[in-house]
Amino acid sequence: MSSEPIRVVVTGAAGQIAYSLLYMVAKGDVFGPEQPLILHLLDIPPMMGVLEGVVMELADCALPLLVSVVPTADPAVAFKDVDAAFLVGAMPRKQGMERKDLLSANVKIFKVQGEALDKHAKKDVKVLVVGNPANTNALVCSHYAPSIPKQNFTAMTRLDQNRAQAQIAARLGVGITKVKNIIIWGNHSATQVPDARNASVEVNGVTKSVPEAVANDEFLKQEFLETVQKRGAAVIAARKMSSAMSAAKAASDHMRDWFAGTRDGEYVSMGVISDGSYGAPKDIVFSFPVQIKNRQWTIVPGLQVDEFARGKLDITAKELLEEKEEAMAVCAAD
């Protein structure tokens, strides 16, 4: 085992997603089977009793890599010296809630967390925002942590990527690992653009492009797109609760790839600060295909974006710009 434990914070630690995520992190799925860690668990004061139960369960898992657990309601304690942050806790959208009400409630949460990261976390901390609206929450959090590079704040679109990969694998009757390089563009919302045009699949030992293998353009433009966009709602309708296990797995995948890197010739989707690539507006958090080396991501250049995808990209970009404006207005009025 490498000697020094790393510190990892999970917010919303008494909630549904964290309940699945904490086990994955603590048993070594994310930072590797040799890396000891100290878990910092942040939640709001009314949840401290529930959090105590989670701490008991983590102890009862008897996990070799888990050095200690720090449960707290104090952001200063939660973010102290952390190497990685899973920002899971956010204000969920309640029935009848306008998007701007949701944004203003979340700006308050992510302002506090951004300021705490700025003051207390390591400067090379890797931050993954899971709580929705994830892209704009990541932007707000970064805004309040000016001493940490903007590249270190990411939003999760890996769940959408995993969903899309699973849909294509099921459609073609192949194992999940046979499908590579599916892209999610834009916002983690119903405007996101799942894109299989640049993806490849291995069928009966032969690698071909997904469009060639599927041989049904209408399916890729309609059913595939809509199934992925609406999958979260479908899970809620069936389970009467939002996706928690799959969201936790996606958060684990996202952070693992950020720390371990992507394989040669493969890329993953992450919401990252836009530099204007693929015509996306600059300075919003937009999901792009990225490759990762030495814990630094770079946007994959030169991929084909056809006219159909271009139109969809513009819609998701417009939504993100509107969210940014609303959120920044809340920040300014603060």
Side-chain angles (χ1 to χ4, degrees):
M1 281 206 199
S2 48
S3 51
E4 275 303 292
I6 60 171
R7 291 179 180 270
V8 180
V9 62
V10 177
T11 73
Q16 278 274 338
I17 294 174
Y19 193 68
S20 288
L21 177 63
L22 289 168
Y23 177 64
M24 296 178 195
V25 173
K27 83 182 217 299
D29 286 1
V30 180
F31 302 103
E34 301 289 310
Q35 179 60 61
L37 43 92
I38 295 165
L39 276 177
H40 293 209
L41 309 183
L42 178 67
D43 216 311
I44 54 176
M47 296 305 287
M48 285 301 110
V50 177
L51 195 56
E52 202 41 56
V54 174
V55 173
M56 285 184 216
E57 280 209 78
L58 281 167
D60 297 348
C61 285
L63 294 156
L65 295 172
L66 188 55
V67 177
S68 64
V69 180
V70 182
T72 182
D74 180 355
V77 175
F79 291 101
K80 182 85 178 126
D81 295 332
V82 295
D83 298 270
F86 291 90
L87 306 187
V88 180
M91 168 71 77
R93 192 170 191 156
K94 302 200 171 79
Q95 220 158 3
M97 197 184 222
E98 290 291 316
R99 193 173 71 180
K100 62 174 184 293
D101 300 333
L102 180 70
L103 278 165
S104 73
N106 277 297
V107 165
K108 293 183 181 70
I109 295 170
F110 286 88
K111 177 188 180 189
V112 168
Q113 295 186 1
E115 288 172 344
L117 279 159
D118 199 51
K119 277 201 197 84
H120 305 289
K122 292 190 175 166
K123 292 306 169 204
D124 63 351
V125 62
K126 304 288 183 265
V127 182
L128 165 59
V129 178
V130 177
N132 287 322
N135 297 54
T136 300
N137 286 344
L139 190 71
V140 168
C141 197
S142 164
H143 176 76
Y144 285 107
S147 69
I148 296 168
K150 285 188 172 3
Q151 287 74 13
N152 292 23
F153 290 84
T154 62
M156 185 168 89
T157 52
R158 185 58 171 266
L159 177 53
D160 309 302
Q161 180 195 314
N162 287 349
R163 286 167 169 165
Q165 194 180 352
Q167 289 300 319
I168 295 294
R171 172 86 182 188
L172 295 172
V174 299
I176 202 89
T177 56
K178 304 291 186 201
V179 180
K180 294 190 169 38
N181 296 345
I182 296 247
I183 300 168
I184 304 296
W185 301 98
N187 199 2
H188 173 64
S189 76
T191 66
Q192 59 165 283
V193 190
D195 175 9
R197 311 224 152 249
N198 294 282
S200 67
V201 59
E202 189 189 313
V203 186
N204 302 325
V206 180
T207 298
K208 46 178 86 169
S209 79
V210 166
E212 189 192 346
V214 170
N216 183 335
D217 216 35
E218 271 318 289
F219 166 77
L220 290 176
K221 284 182 175 173
Q222 212 138 18
E223 190 187 325
F224 165 69
L225 194 78
E226 286 172 15
T227 301
V228 179
Q229 286 176 334
K230 296 175 181 170
R231 187 68 162 189
V235 171
I236 292 175
R239 205 173 89 93
K240 311 294 176 260
M241 291 166 107
S242 60
S243 342
M245 179 169 48
S246 55
K249 163 66 165 55
S252 159
D253 289 345
H254 175 119
M255 193 69 87
R256 182 199 64 227
D257 287 343
W258 201 352
F259 271 73
T262 50
R263 292 194 180 101
D264 283 349
E266 290 184 31
Y267 40 83
V268 293
S269 296
M270 286 166 70
V272 298
I273 193 77
S274 169
D275 62 357
S277 292
Y278 296 100
K282 285 185 177 177
D283 299 322
I284 55 175
V285 172
F286 193 92
S287 183
F288 291 101
V290 300
Q291 287 172 317
I292 306 161
K293 268 205 172 70
N294 305 322
R295 302 186 186 174
Q296 303 293 325
W297 53 263
T298 48
I299 296 170
V300 177
L303 296 172
Q304 252 349 92
V305 175
D306 62 16
E307 209 175 322
F308 174 79
R310 179 76 265 156
K312 298 279 184 201
L313 254 68
D314 292 343
I315 293 166
T316 197
K318 182 171 176 284
E319 181 182 64
L320 280 167
L321 281 174
E322 285 166 9
E323 279 186 22
K324 177 185 177 173
E325 263 170 48
E326 286 172 14
M328 289 304 151
V330 176
C331 294
D334 196 47

